[in-house]
Structures are given as C-alpha cells and as structure tokens.
Amino acid sequence: MKNSVKDKLKRGEQVLGAFLGIYSPPLVEMLGYAGFDYVLIDDEHGAFSSSELENMIRTADSVGLASIVRVSYDPSSIQKALDRGANAIQVPMVNTKEDALEVVKRAKFSPHGNRGVSYSIRPARYGKDSGKSYLDECNENIMIIVHIETPEAVNNFEEIVSVDGIDLAFIGSTDLSVSMGYQLEGANHPEVQKVINDLYKKGEILNVPIGTVAGNGGTAVNAFEKGAQLVCIVLNNVITSALNEVVSASRPFQPYK
C-alpha cells in the first residue's frame, strides 16, 4: 500500500483534491484525468453505502488518485473506510487530545492501536497479503487527518497535533465560523480569519501540515499562499457555479435567479 499524498506532504509539496459527497465513479475518473492529487469522499455529509464507498475508492485507484474518506460519526466508520481501501481518513469534530488518541487507536493495528484485523479484504488483496509485513505497511502508510473546527479544538490544537499518528490538521472553516457564533458572516469574519491565520502559524512552528477547504481555484491559491499544504475544493460548488454560468450566458435576457 502506497500513499502518494502522504509522501508528497512529507516532501513539503502542496496537494490539491476535491470533496465529493455524491456517488459518482465517473466524477472520480474526471478528477484523476484532470490532474487532482486526491479525492475526498465525504461520508460525513454525503450518502454512501459500504459497497458504493468501495467502488469510489476502486475508481480512484484506477486513475492514480489517492482516496481520503471523511468518516461519519458511527464508531465503525474508520474501520470500514480503511477496510474498503482508503489511503486516508479525515475525522470531523476532533476537539481534544483524548479524541485524537481514540482516532489513532481505531485506525492503527496493534501495537499502535486496536483496529480489527482481516486479511480477506481488498487492501490485503483478498488474502494474498497478511501477517506482520502487511500490518506494518498499513500502519506506516495510512494517513490520519483531524478536523479543527470548534473553539475547543483551537484551544487544544497543540495537544491534538502532538499525538503520534496524526499527520495533518484540517481547518473546517465553515463549522468553525458557526461554532464561534458568526453564522451570518461566515469564515470571512475578521475574528474567524484571525483564528485561522493563527492556526497556520502554529502549524508552521510545530511542523504540522495544515489543510483547508476552498470554493474555487482562486480561493485554493489563496489558501496555498497562506501556508496550507493540502487544499480541498468543494466539487458541488464548482459544478453548480459552472451550471449557473452556462444558464446565465445562454439566457442573457433571463438572468438566473
């Protein structure tokens, strides 16, 4: 099991991906052919069965995309995402060091965690791989991303990222702005931006890669310039914006409302 995104981050490179919350293997293929580094399959807000999740991951593999699954709140979701073959998990609402420790415990095999072992699953090539070498390779290559998206998580940032096994801290700017009380202004509110900028600085000081979300190419560039190493475009936003643009351009006297 190789993990191209984790390898690139270790080399200090920037990586670009896309959130995808709808079941569509063709869209995964398009992302790969377009040159994205990874697809982030959103099982927190999206709707996927286990078999659909595996099909999306299999498709990502076929076009050279790393696969990250943002897991749900079901305790088994980490196990299921990794057993389907995901290269990484992204875990929402990690607010304390104890939360981070629990995430690592669920994602890593013994002696680093207590993830259940099966050799008959897809990542183990349905039994062709097994034993210590397989377990060690999984522990080494699987990437663990935690969401920083509440004031509590911000206050505990240093403790959270100090947990061995946490590879990247992802700033969930929408949830952060809402939890800070800026539902109307959103992530652009100066106080939210101040917190986000402080997290970038802390990440740099602690040598912890920072990830974040972006609505389009322009905001992705801004995030990279601020110091993000991993940026994730919201694909639904891109598609909706493109569709609205087509309708507006095609109906100049009937602007889209």
Side-chain angles (χ1 to χ4, degrees):
M1 170 187 281
K2 298 297 181 183
N3 191 329
S4 58
V5 166
K6 189 170 184 177
D7 290 342
K8 288 177 181 179
L9 291 174
K10 284 181 178 179
R11 295 194 296 266
E13 298 178 26
Q14 297 172 329
V15 294
L16 179 68
F19 269 112
L20 188 53
I22 55 177
Y23 178 65
S24 179
L27 276 178
V28 176
E29 289 179 310
M30 291 179 200
L31 292 172
Y33 295 140
F36 281 80
D37 295 296
Y38 67 92
V39 59
L40 201 160
I41 304 165
D42 189 2
D43 202 29
E44 180 191 13
H45 296 293
F48 298 98
S49 68
S50 289
S51 60
E52 288 173 341
L53 196 64
E54 186 165 297
N55 283 338
M56 296 279 277
I57 294 167
R58 181 181 288 111
T59 304
D61 290 344
S62 74
V63 290
L65 277 177
S67 56
I68 301 173
V69 174
R70 179 159 72 172
V71 298
S72 71
Y73 299 102
D74 186 319
S76 68
S77 60
I78 291 176
Q79 173 90 47
K80 287 184 176 179
L82 295 176
D83 281 0
R84 303 286 77 75
N87 298 118
I89 53 166
Q90 185 158 314
V91 185
M93 294 296 173
V94 176
N95 294 315
T96 65
K97 181 178 182 179
E98 290 70 28
D99 290 343
L101 286 166
E102 182 65 22
V103 168
V104 173
K105 186 167 68 173
R106 290 182 181 277
K108 300 278 189 179
F109 293 118
S110 179
H112 305 292
N114 61 7
R115 177 185 167 192
V117 178
S118 172
Y119 298 126
S120 62
I121 56 175
R122 185 172 168 270
R125 299 192 298 167
Y126 307 105
K128 289 185 70 69
D129 299 330
S130 63
K132 186 176 186 302
S133 59
Y134 168 74
L135 301 178
D136 288 347
E137 186 177 9
C138 288
N139 281 344
E140 174 65 25
N141 289 307
I142 286 168
M143 185 167 67
I144 300 175
I145 302 169
V146 293
H147 268 247
I148 306 297
E149 51 190 346
T150 67
E152 184 182 12
V154 171
N155 291 335
N156 294 322
F157 179 80
E158 290 90 341
E159 289 189 354
I160 291 171
V161 299
S162 73
V163 171
D164 188 32
I166 300 300
D167 296 297
L168 184 141
F170 191 94
I171 302 172
S173 55
T174 300
D175 275 301
L176 181 59
S177 64
V178 171
S179 62
M180 289 177 65
Y182 301 113
Q183 292 90 341
L184 293 178
E185 303 91 335
N188 291 324
H189 191 281
E191 288 299 318
V192 181
Q193 284 298 305
K194 181 179 182 300
V195 169
I196 291 173
N197 291 333
D198 286 345
L199 289 173
Y200 279 121
K201 292 175 184 175
K202 288 179 180 179
E204 184 177 5
I205 291 169
L206 298 170
N207 196 30
V208 175
I210 299 292
T212 195
V213 67
N216 53 52
T219 53
V221 170
N222 290 339
F224 282 134
E225 289 176 345
K226 276 188 173 184
Q229 266 191 262
L230 178 146
V231 173
C232 198
I233 300 285
V234 181
L235 193 56
N236 282 8
N237 288 359
V238 174
I239 294 172
T240 299
S241 177
L243 293 174
N244 289 345
E245 184 178 336
V246 169
V247 171
S248 296
S250 302
R251 299 176 179 172
F253 302 108
Q254 301 178 43
Y256 179 81
K257 296 181 181 179

